[in-house]
Amino acid sequence: DTAVSQTPKYLVTQMGNDKSIKCEQNLGHDTMYWYKQDSKKFLKIMFSYNNKELIINETVPNRFSPKSPDKAHLNLHINSLELGDSAVYFCASSPGTQRRYEQYFGPGTRLTVT
Amino acid sequence: KNQVEQSPQSLIILEGKNCTLQCNYTVSPFSNLRWYKQDTGRGPVSLTIMTFSENTKSNGRYTATLDADTKQSSLHITASQLSDSASYICVVSGQGSSNTGKLIFGQGTTLQVKP
């Protein structure tokens, strides 16, 4: 039983394309997150949603747009992909914002932009 | 500026040996500190969480320590196994609202255990 799942696991695409990554959690958590892990392994938060409402929006290009249709799903859409977008993207969830340190991570989506 | 720094950046040890990973932080006010293990190609998985009042916490062969005065934490791995090969990430949570109290991630220590 997967707690936090992401699709696809690998994504290879060309510059300029638009792509989406999907995330679902079956933990009943209220808060979901998107992180970007670059080649140096640093995890950087991009967005956070609490009960479908955006609560954290870091300095991320507006080509990145998160969408939360319900509190179990948080998808990431990226427009006009650039080479620098190549990274591993992790989705995570936590019971709520007060317990944001209890984050459960998905397996990651490795995005390669050529 | 809130920061989390880990050392060493990478480490190679022989199977069966012990090792200690370090984490220094400047996050204030401090709420808690968590160590994550990230296997290659997978998402991070929590090992331990330390609050301000806790000095030591164990999880099997993993023992985490916290010195809130010096703002340092360590993760000690005893009798290492090949499956311990992974990146170990120190994550500090500050107090405050969900926006201002974000998690601050260290860059991780990559551990390789050789037979």
Side-chain angles (χ1 to χ4, degrees):
Chain A
D1 293 337
T2 305
V4 182
S5 60
Q6 296 179 227
T7 54
K9 188 166 175 62
Y10 299 97
L11 183 55
V12 181
T13 187
Q14 292 184 329
M15 284 176 56
N17 285 347
D18 303 337
K19 291 293 179 184
S20 292
I21 307 172
K22 295 186 176 181
C23 177
E24 177 180 2
Q25 54 95 3
N26 61 7
L27 297 167
H29 287 170
D30 290 333
T31 311
M32 296 184 72
Y33 311 80
W34 273 111
Y35 289 88
K36 179 181 180 181
Q37 188 174 45
D38 58 25
S39 57
K40 294 184 179 180
K41 299 292 184 74
F42 257 118
L43 272 162
K44 296 179 182 177
I45 190 165
M46 301 172 67
F47 302 101
S48 176
Y49 270 72
N50 187 60
N51 277 321
K52 303 195 302 176
E53 187 176 333
L54 181 66
I55 56 171
I56 293 176
N57 184 353
E58 287 297 289
T59 308
V60 176
N62 56 16
R63 299 181 294 104
F64 291 78
S65 54
K67 283 186 173 56
S68 182
D70 55 63
K71 74 173 191 177
H73 296 83
L74 181 61
N75 304 323
L76 184 64
H77 188 75
I78 315 170
N79 289 328
S80 303
L81 279 155
E82 300 177 357
L83 292 176
D85 297 332
S86 295
V88 182
Y89 292 84
F90 286 98
C91 177
S93 71
S94 68
T97 57
Q98 293 303 315
R99 294 168 66 185
R100 57 189 174 277
Y101 46 84
E102 290 182 46
Q103 293 193 19
Y104 293 78
F105 285 82
T109 295
R110 180 174 292 277
L111 171 65
T112 303
V113 182
T114 60
Chain B
K1 182 180 179 182
N2 290 329
Q3 282 187 313
V4 176
E5 293 185 356
Q6 293 185 242
S7 62
Q9 191 170 1
S10 62
L11 183 61
I12 301 174
I13 62 173
L14 292 176
E15 186 178 13
K17 297 295 185 183
N18 304 335
C19 67
T20 300
L21 315 180
Q22 300 289 346
C23 173
N24 296 339
Y25 62 92
T26 59
V27 179
S28 182
F30 171 83
S31 176
N32 58 70
L33 183 148
R34 190 175 276 242
W35 284 92
Y36 281 88
K37 179 186 179 188
Q38 184 177 15
D39 291 314
T40 300
R42 301 197 138 185
V45 175
S46 177
L47 290 175
T48 66
I49 180 170
M50 310 280 290
T51 59
F52 186 86
S53 59
E54 294 175 307
N55 299 119
T56 304
K57 184 171 282 189
S58 293
N59 178 3
R61 294 178 298 102
Y62 301 102
T63 300
T65 65
L66 175 66
D67 186 335
D69 292 330
T70 61
K71 299 185 178 180
Q72 294 179 326
S73 176
S74 66
L75 180 68
H76 186 73
I77 305 174
T78 305
S80 61
Q81 300 176 358
L82 297 179
S83 59
D84 292 332
S85 296
S87 288
Y88 291 84
I89 304 171
C90 175
V91 184
V92 180
S93 176
Q95 295 181 18
S97 70
S98 60
N99 195 33
T100 60
K102 293 193 296 286
L103 301 184
I104 311 298
F105 287 77
Q107 81 277 26
T109 292
T110 301
L111 173 65
Q112 187 177 356
V113 181
K114 290 192 169 183

